Amino acid sequence: MREVELLIIGSGPAGLCAAISAAESGARVLILERTFKPGGQLIKQTHMFFGSESQYASHRGVDIAGILMKKVEEFGDKIEIMLNATAVGFYEDNVVTVLKDEKEYFKIKAESIICATGAFEKSLAFPNNDLPGIYGAGAVQTLMNVYGVQPGNRVLMVGAGNIGVIVSYQLMQAGIEVAAVLDAAPRIGAYLVHASKLARMGVPILTSHTVKEAIGTDCLEAAVVCEVDDKFRPIPGTEKRYDVDVLCISVGLSPLNELLAMRGVEMKYVPQLSGSVPMRTENCETSIPGIFVAGDASGIEEASSAMAEGYLAGLCAAAKLGHVPADFEQRRQEYLKQLDGLRSGPVGDRIRAGMSVSRL
Amino acid sequence: MFEKTGVATREMVMTKFPSVERINKGPVAVVECYQKIPCNPCQTACPFGAISIGEDINNIPERDEGVCTGCGMCVAKCPGLSIMIVDGSKSAETVEFRIPYEFLPLPEAGEEVIGLDRAGRPICDAKVIRVMNPPSFDRTPVITLEVAREYLYDFRNFRRK
Ligand SMILES: Cc1cc2nc3c(=O)[nH]c(=O)nc-3n(C[C@H](O)[C@H](O)[C@H](O)COP(=O)(O)OP(=O)(O)OC[C@H]3O[C@@H](n4cnc5c(N)ncnc54)[C@H](O)[C@@H]3O)c2cc1C
Ligand code: SF4
Ligand code: SF4
């Protein structure tokens, strides 16, 4: 059985920043990544990010992944990344079982572990929602921006949150028609600057609308949408048909963290953080000492906060392992301050509420 | 309305426009950012300190029309693509707009295109004056277009014919 000092599960912005920060302090790190490419959600994001300079604002997500990977490579003697390696089990003695290349299965024992596994997409129930042509927004992005495959010709987007609106914009950049973006909520959830980008391209954003059913025999041919009232009940007689070959579902993400639950970490369902999350300290440490969480796995936020949490978790995990840099407290405070800043505005209300009930 | 459609109302747009006197003097930025979000590259990008957000990154950016030189450095830096430059100094009949445009193929200088409003509706003719796409803009090209003055507050986008 392989033994490592610090194991990081997931190579999104949270995992990469955790690795950089821990290696900077002197820890030896192994990162497990289940896909063939490090970077997590970042590698699919061709738009410029919000935030401040310390989180690479106005850089494109995919370029941020490149910047972080360059830093990781600078610590080549300290950080190893294992690709196509999925952590599938997490046991009491801090043993993680790994499936590599879908054929090798082995155990890794770690002194400390940071779970940075990100999120999974929620789905939506409606008749025929299993027809080919109905995708999650993540799948559409992966096809389009990772593999360069066109998912279809005409898309109806369900969900006007940041992801729905941004993926719609990327679809249009790829030359694919977006018929409309709909959302059951009475207001657009996305940052309005993103929504306005779509609006001025002539894409209607239909709030208080939902999908009634999908139509098709072998694959999607059309979708019927309808208006909903203030209690989200469909309003009869408001049905509209869209002839589309792609229905893209973008109704939110949930934290992906079953590994922590399996290990026996104290979990709690926190709606403001979009699902079940581990209870943790200010330093991102869970109820089991030496086990940390960072990024979307601890509650759905943004890459900017995932990076700050990653740096913080990496710093604190390394410190617990005995690698305490001279400026430890200064850096810790700096990351906490960044997180406070990012969560301070009105869009951070929900996150702050979620944080306050998930703190140990 | 804005929160339902993503289309700002005329009243909202007017609050972001500089005075006509200022527009007639030369290029100046219109920063159409209406919502408190954690974002500030516009402030960081401006070499003249004309955009201020302040300590709290969530504040709405304020552009000082007296300080803004219309240099356009902020346009390609704004992740919301919410900044454009207007210039009314060139002629009494037309205004020049500089807007970010992230679609291929890019138009060419001299090309006649269709002017669109904030809801993407065709409203006027527009002529492409210049296409700027230097490496420093990081793949957010900025297009200069000439539009009849009556569309000053309505023109916001264009489509190739
Ligand atoms: C369309 C879209 C637009 C966005 N736009 C912005 C934006 O403009 N600004 C912004 O700040 N944020 C944005 N985000 C959000 C941002 O991408 C995420 O918040 C961020 O990527 C979360 O980082 P993370 O490291 O926690 O998770 P992820 O980036 O999801 O990374 C998790 C990684 O863990 C891996 N993994 C999961 N489980 C396992 C396992 N068991 N074993 C091994 N590996 C595993 C995954 O493969 C993945 O690589 C956007 C997201 C989307 C989808
Ligand atoms: S146009 Fe130039 S001077 Fe004016 S706000 Fe933008 S960067 Fe600053
Ligand atoms: S950079 Fe753009 S989106 Fe961000 S605050 Fe400035 S104007 Fe608003």
Side-chain angles (χ1 to χ4, degrees), chain A residues 69-77:
Chain A
M69 275 311 292
K70 228 173 138 190
K71 283 202 190 178
V72 164
E73 279 151 22
E74 282 166 24
F75 291 104
D77 57 329

Side-chain angles (χ1 to χ4, degrees), chain A residues 217-252:
Chain A
T217 33
D218 297 329
C219 60
L220 182 71
E221 287 159 23
V224 178
V225 312
C226 67
E227 287 178 39
V228 295
D229 63 16
D230 53 7
K231 298 211 166 53
F232 299 103
R233 287 173 307 213
I235 303 176
T238 60
E239 290 81 3
K240 254 180 293 198
R241 179 188 159 114
Y242 284 91
D243 292 320
V244 289
D245 60 350
V246 174
L247 195 57
C248 186
I249 311 293
S250 171
V251 292

Side-chain angles (χ1 to χ4, degrees), chain A residues 152-166:
Chain A
N153 296 310
R154 189 163 193 255
V155 180
L156 184 66
M157 179 66 68
V158 184
N162 272 328
I163 297 180
V165 164
I166 288 168

Side-chain angles (χ1 to χ4, degrees), chain B residues 17-108:
Chain B
F17 261 78
S19 61
V20 173
E21 297 79 64
R22 175 64 191 82
I23 292 173
N24 287 343
K25 270 197 206 143
V28 59
V30 182
V31 184
E32 284 187 76
C33 192
Y34 302 97
Q35 185 188 27
K36 285 189 147 201
I37 51 173
C39 186
N40 70 3
C42 50
Q43 168 178 268
T44 331
C46 178
F48 302 97
I51 299 186
S52 50
I53 284 184
E55 262 293 285
D56 182 353
I57 187 173
N58 290 285
N59 286 342
I60 290 172
E62 301 260 0
R63 179 265 303 111
D64 185 331
E65 66 172 61
V67 179
C68 175
T69 64
C71 72
M73 293 291 284
C74 52
V75 175
K77 281 281 181 201
C78 166
L81 305 188
S82 62
I83 309 181
M84 62 177 184
I85 308 290
V86 290
D87 180 0
S89 68
K90 301 272 163 76
S91 107
E93 284 79 45
T94 61
V95 251
E96 271 190 22
F97 286 86
R98 261 182 268 161
I99 60 172
Y101 183 79
E102 297 186 320
F103 292 87
L104 293 172
L106 290 173
E108 280 166 29

Side-chain angles (χ1 to χ4, degrees), chain A residues 48-53 58 60 63 169 173 186-188 191-192 196-197 199-202 207 341 344-345 347, chain B residues 2-4 6 35 37-40 44 56-58 76-79 81 102-103 118-120 138-140 157:
Chain A
M48 289 187 274
F49 274 32
F50 287 94
S52 75
E53 262 182 346
S58 102
R60 297 174 192 281
D63 297 333
Y169 183 74
Q173 287 181 306
R187 283 187 194 82
I188 294 169
Y191 290 157
L192 294 168
S196 297
K197 283 188 213 173
R200 62 176 172 260
M201 295 297 296
T207 45
S344 67
V347 290
Chain B
F2 181 46
E3 290 184 333
K4 284 184 177 294
Q35 185 188 27
I37 51 173
C39 186
N40 70 3
T44 331
D56 182 353
I57 187 173
N58 290 285
K77 281 281 181 201
C78 166
L81 305 188
E102 297 186 320
F103 292 87
R118 286 175 176 74
D138 189 23
R139 293 153 288 170
T140 300
N157 194 12

